[in-house]
Amino acid sequence: MANIPLPETNLPRIVIIGGGFAGIELIKSLKKEKVQIILLDRHNYHTFQPLLYQVATGGLEPDSIATPFRTIFEGYSNLFFRMAEVKTIHREAKCVSTNIGDVKYDYLVIATGSRTNYFGIEGLRESAMPLKTIPQALDLRSLMLQNFEKALLISDLEERNSRLNIVVVGGGPTGVEISGALAELKTHVLPHDYPELDFRKMSIYLIEANERVLAGMSEWSSRKSKKFLENLGVEVWTGISVKNYEGRKVLLSNDKTLQSHTLIWTAGVMGNLVDGLADITVRGNRIDVDEFLSVRNSTDIFALGDCAGIKSDTYPNGLPGVAPVAVQQGQYLGKRLKAIFRNKEVKPFKYTNKGTMATVGRNKAVVDMKGFHTQGFFAWWIWMFVHIMYLVSFRNRIVVLVNWVWHYISYDKAIRLIIRPYIKG
């Protein structure tokens, strides 16, 4: 395939695959550097993934958590963005093949993030609803609303309830947060939208294979969040996994069966890799990188964020796939590349954990920081402030803040629209 049309240059060319948190921070750190940066991404926008669940539950519109790359990098004379899907990395030829052509690189940065891991469980890939992208969030929103509309037409009580019931699998932050949001919809919003349906019959289940939810946080936060969820009416089942899903019947490891047409899968992710990297992966389909974020046995390829498998004494299974890790790695690699250009050295990368948090709903959140734990209203404000500040654009911060204030005052999540009907399979 022909090369992607790009300006000729004698400057070092840095090709970055993926415009997530890591890629964006790296580009920002190189804004004034004498290099040519090529950003490749299959979308033309950055997604703020921590708030995808709010798009799925009608709290936010997609453009509240998405920002076009060309807007983010307006004024960057050394950056060239191309919307492309990367197919193969040719390490010996120092070339990347995409669906729109090939591009040569001097330095390659892989920041492709993660994708859903179904662990080979039968029926999940075909029928479960993942939550990693904006299109998936919109599909989930449409599916839930379509099920409510269909429930109005069904006289059989068991079938009607299976349209109302929702099963969330995975008790990490995303699973906990979407379960809490759904419980608040059930209590405060859906009975007004669908007065003909008895939402007292609706069940929301949170299924977690570990013995507690939020296993990556303190036991104290885990207990508090579970209590919050149960007070909201969510049935939290821990120490149980999904064995099979047939589109309506959820078979669990305790041999119980749940009836639901909506199964939301947040239970696992794996590195989202492209061809050409199979021989350098570690646990979780991540790329094996050293303490300087270089791909093992390579001097010109780096990996960042969710797809990078870097271990430490604190994180023997690899760093968590969260935004702060990606942000810090992007900033670090910017410093390291500058050092390489100047024949200098930098210290190895070290992740600074500033804390973890999760929200369960209005006035309900948990926060773990070094030597400090809090929950409830104060934690909820911390959670909101941190997420507002991590949004990429000032416009998005204002839009999200206004939406949150309105929802807090009115209890109304007005974006309950089936714009694009979802059809399974």
Side-chain angles (χ1 to χ4, degrees):
M1 186 177 286
N3 291 332
I4 299 175
L6 290 166
E8 295 292 332
T9 181
N10 59 358
L11 298 174
R13 174 180 283 178
I14 303 171
V15 174
I16 302 173
I17 307 175
F21 291 107
I24 285 178
E25 289 300 320
L26 172 58
I27 293 170
K28 287 180 177 179
S29 70
L30 297 174
K31 179 179 181 180
K32 297 181 180 179
E33 199 69 13
K34 291 182 178 180
V35 294
Q36 185 187 66
I37 305 171
I38 311 300
L39 174 61
L40 304 174
D41 197 288
R42 59 180 175 171
H43 301 297
N44 72 337
Y45 56 84
H46 165 78
T47 302
F48 188 75
Q49 290 187 334
L51 293 181
L52 276 172
Y53 81 94
Q54 294 202 8
V55 174
T57 54
L60 295 171
E61 277 288 19
D63 63 352
S64 301
I65 65 167
T67 308
F69 292 123
R70 300 186 190 280
T71 298
I72 298 172
F73 301 119
E74 185 176 358
Y76 283 62
S77 59
N78 64 347
L79 174 75
F80 300 88
F81 168 70
R82 295 295 182 267
M83 191 169 75
E85 184 173 352
V86 176
K87 300 294 186 180
T88 307
I89 296 171
H90 307 281
R91 285 178 277 170
E92 292 186 3
K94 300 189 71 167
C95 174
V96 173
S97 295
T98 78
N99 63 324
I100 62 171
D102 299 339
V103 57
K104 292 277 189 176
Y105 64 82
D106 295 304
Y107 298 95
L108 176 64
V109 180
I110 306 166
T112 47
S114 60
R115 58 187 173 91
T116 303
N117 186 357
Y118 295 106
F119 302 104
I121 300 173
E122 187 177 348
L124 289 182
R125 187 177 296 277
E126 296 76 21
S127 301
M129 301 299 294
L131 194 57
K132 293 293 293 178
T133 67
I134 286 178
Q136 290 173 350
L138 292 174
D139 285 342
L140 176 55
R141 186 176 80 181
S142 293
L143 175 63
M144 291 189 294
L145 294 174
Q146 287 168 214
N147 279 331
F148 299 151
E149 297 292 342
K150 290 177 182 177
L152 292 168
L153 310 176
I154 298 171
S155 56
D156 181 85
L157 289 179
E158 184 177 342
E159 174 63 17
R160 179 189 291 180
N161 291 340
S162 72
R163 295 283 177 179
L164 302 182
N165 295 341
I166 297 175
V167 177
V168 180
V169 185
T174 300
V176 166
E177 289 170 354
I178 197 168
S179 297
L182 290 169
E184 292 191 332
L185 278 176
K186 171 188 172 182
T187 303
H188 301 293
V189 177
L190 295 177
H192 300 287
D193 279 5
Y194 301 93
E196 299 164 78
L197 296 175
D198 185 1
F199 282 96
R200 292 174 298 179
K201 303 292 185 181
M202 176 184 181
S203 295
I204 300 170
Y205 302 93
L206 176 59
I207 310 298
E208 169 55 47
N210 284 307
E211 293 303 320
R212 61 187 180 93
V213 298
L214 297 179
M217 297 184 68
S218 66
E219 290 190 18
W220 183 86
S221 291
S222 176
R223 290 195 303 271
K224 288 292 182 181
S225 59
K226 182 182 180 184
K227 184 177 180 181
F228 284 146
L229 288 168
E230 290 173 340
N231 289 342
L232 287 170
V234 178
E235 296 190 40
V236 182
W237 294 6
T238 56
I240 297 171
S241 59
V242 173
K243 293 175 62 177
N244 178 269
Y245 181 50
E246 299 175 358
R248 173 183 167 181
K249 294 182 179 180
V250 185
L251 178 61
L252 303 176
S253 58
N254 61 357
D255 292 330
K256 290 187 177 181
T257 299
L258 302 177
Q259 303 288 333
S260 174
H261 284 267
T262 306
L263 185 148
I264 305 171
W265 183 262
T266 70
V269 295
M270 59 195 298
N272 184 28
L273 306 186
V274 295
D275 289 344
L277 302 171
D279 61 323
I280 52 172
T281 57
V282 293
R283 175 176 174 168
N285 203 42
R286 289 175 156 191
I287 303 170
D288 189 12
V289 299
D290 62 21
E291 65 271 25
F292 296 98
L293 303 185
S294 291
V295 172
R296 294 288 178 185
N297 303 318
S298 175
T299 60
D300 55 8
I301 306 179
F302 311 89
L304 307 175
D306 293 1
C307 70
I310 180 171
K311 301 178 182 179
S312 68
D313 294 337
T314 309
Y315 300 96
N317 295 324
L319 293 175
V322 293
V325 171
V327 168
Q328 291 180 35
Q329 289 182 342
Q331 294 169 346
Y332 171 85
L333 185 57
K335 294 178 182 178
R336 190 183 171 208
L337 286 171
K338 292 176 184 178
I340 290 174
F341 300 149
R342 294 163 177 78
N343 294 316
K344 296 182 179 180
E345 295 184 355
V346 294
K347 294 180 180 180
F349 172 76
K350 184 177 181 180
Y351 170 56
T352 302
N353 186 354
K354 298 178 181 179
T356 53
M357 59 190 69
T359 183
V360 185
R362 167 189 293 246
N363 301 336
K364 299 177 182 68
V366 290
V367 172
D368 287 343
M369 302 179 78
K370 190 172 183 179
F372 172 72
H373 305 284
T374 187
Q375 55 86 29
F377 182 75
F378 180 58
W380 184 63
W381 274 100
I382 294 175
W383 180 92
M384 287 197 299
F385 175 78
V386 169
H387 282 69
I388 286 286
M389 296 310 298
Y390 263 105
L391 285 164
V392 171
S393 74
F394 179 76
R395 173 197 173 273
N396 285 8
R397 292 172 186 168
I398 295 300
V399 170
V400 169
L401 181 60
V402 169
N403 271 273
W404 284 352
V405 170
W406 173 250
H407 297 159
Y408 190 83
I409 295 172
S410 68
Y411 271 102
D412 185 30
K413 296 186 177 182
I415 315 169
R416 298 181 297 281
L417 308 173
I418 306 174
I419 300 296
R420 183 188 61 190
Y422 174 69
I423 301 174
K424 284 190 178 183

